[in-house]
C-alpha cells in the first residue's frame, strides 16, 4: 500500500512538472528581427526581416526553454530597394544559395523569474556559430485579445559578421560588428 502511494505521488509530481512546460507560437505581428551597423562612424544603417516564424517551449518552474526562429533573408527591408537587392546578393546574404537564417536557443538563463539571456546557435550562409541574446526586457501576460498567455521581450547581441563569411566593406572601414535585435512575442498554444 505504501509503495503504491509513493508511486502515485511520484506520478502526480511528474505530471505536474510536465504541465508547467508550454509551447508558444511566435506572433509575427509582434516579432521583428532587425540589425544595426555603423556607416563610417557617422550614422547607423538599419534593416529588418519582414518575414519570420518560429516557436518557443518554455517552463518557468524548471527555468528551461527552447526557441526556434527562422527568417527568409530575401525579406530584408532597409527602405531602399537597391540596398535590399545588394544585401540579398553574394556580398552579404547570398539568398539564392542560403535563403533562410535560423536561431535556435536551448539554454535560458534567468534572473529571478525573468529570462535574462538565451544562448544558442545562429545559422547564416551555411555556417553556424554560438550567439547569446541578452534580454533588455522580458514579461509574460494574459493577452485580452487572444485570451491566452503571451510571453516575450526585447533581446540583442553584437555579432562578428565575418564568422558567417560576410566581410564586404571591411577594407573601406565598415565594422565587422553588427548589432542584432530580436523583439519577440509568442502566444501560448
Amino acid at each position: 500500500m505504501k509503495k503504491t502511494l509513493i508511486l502515485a505521488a511520484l506520478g502526480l509530481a511528474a505530471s505536474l512538472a510536465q504541465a508547467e512546460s508550454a509551447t508558444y507560437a511566435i506572433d509575427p505581428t509582434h516579432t521583428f528581427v532587425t540589425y544595426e551597423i555603423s556607416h563610417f562612424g557617422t550614422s547607423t544603417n538599419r534593416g529588418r526581416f519582414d518575414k519570420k516564424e518560429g516557436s518557443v517551449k518554455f517552463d518557468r518552474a524548471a527555468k528551461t526553454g527552447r526557441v526556434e526562429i527562422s527568417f527568409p533573408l530575401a525579406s530584408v527591408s532597409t527602405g531602399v530597394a537597391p540596398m535590399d537587392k545588394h544585401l540579398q546578393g553574394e556580398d552579404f546574404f547570398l539568398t539564392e544559395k542560403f535563403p533562410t537564417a535560423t536561431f535556435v536557443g536551448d539554454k535560458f538563463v534567468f534572473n529571478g523569474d525573468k529570462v535574462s539571456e538565451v544562448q544558442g546557435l545562429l545559422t547564416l550562409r551555411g555556417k553556424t556559430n554560438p550567439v547569446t541574446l541578452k534580454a533588455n526586457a522580458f514579461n509574460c501576460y494574459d493577452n485580452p485579445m487572444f485570451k491566452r498567455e503571451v510571453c516575450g521581450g526585447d533581446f540583442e547581441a553584437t555579432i562578428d559578421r565575418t564568422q558567417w563569411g560576410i566581410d564586404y566593406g571591411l577594407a573601406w572601414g565598415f565594422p565587422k560588428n553588427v548589432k542584432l535585435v530580436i523583439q519577440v512575442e509568442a502566444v501560448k498554444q
Side-chain angles (χ1 to χ4, degrees):
M1 175 82 162
K2 194 177 204 179
K3 188 175 182 181
T4 304
L5 285 173
I6 290 172
L7 288 174
L10 287 174
L12 178 61
S15 68
L16 286 175
Q18 204 168 25
E20 293 293 327
S21 182
T23 299
Y24 297 75
I26 299 287
D27 175 2
T29 63
H30 290 93
T31 299
F32 297 96
V33 178
T34 62
Y35 70 87
E36 301 177 356
I37 186 168
S38 176
H39 188 254
F40 292 107
T42 58
S43 62
T44 303
N45 284 345
R46 292 180 174 88
R48 77 176 195 189
F49 300 92
D50 288 335
K51 296 180 181 174
K52 58 272 172 191
E53 61 182 26
S55 64
V56 179
K57 290 188 191 273
F58 184 54
D59 186 334
R60 274 185 285 200
K63 296 190 176 185
T64 60
R66 179 178 176 86
V67 61
E68 295 183 30
I69 186 166
S70 63
F71 44 101
L73 295 168
S75 74
V76 68
S77 175
T78 62
V80 180
M83 174 67 111
D84 297 347
K85 279 292 186 204
H86 188 206
L87 289 169
Q88 293 170 26
E90 64 183 65
D91 287 336
F92 291 97
F93 300 134
L94 192 55
T95 60
E96 196 170 290
K97 187 173 180 184
F98 304 105
T100 304
T102 305
F103 176 77
V104 177
D106 58 3
K107 181 162 189 211
F108 283 36
V109 177
F110 284 74
N111 182 2
D113 65 347
K114 303 275 187 183
V115 175
S116 62
E117 68 181 45
V118 177
Q119 299 170 9
L121 298 171
L122 176 64
T123 301
L124 177 66
R125 284 183 60 128
K127 296 180 179 171
T128 302
N129 290 294
V131 170
T132 298
L133 295 171
K134 302 275 185 194
N136 291 329
F138 180 84
N139 191 42
C140 293
Y141 68 98
D142 290 323
N143 186 294
M145 296 186 321
F146 295 140
K147 308 285 189 237
R148 288 186 268 169
E149 181 181 54
V150 172
C151 292
D154 289 334
F155 296 85
E156 69 179 53
T158 298
I159 62 171
D160 174 351
R161 64 190 172 102
T162 63
Q163 290 183 296
W164 289 271
I166 303 171
D167 58 6
Y168 179 82
L170 290 176
W172 302 330
F174 289 135
K176 64 181 181 176
N177 290 333
V178 177
K179 183 177 176 183
L180 180 65
V181 180
I182 300 179
Q183 165 195 333
V184 62
E185 290 192 25
V187 182
K188 189 174 186 179
Q189 301 300 292

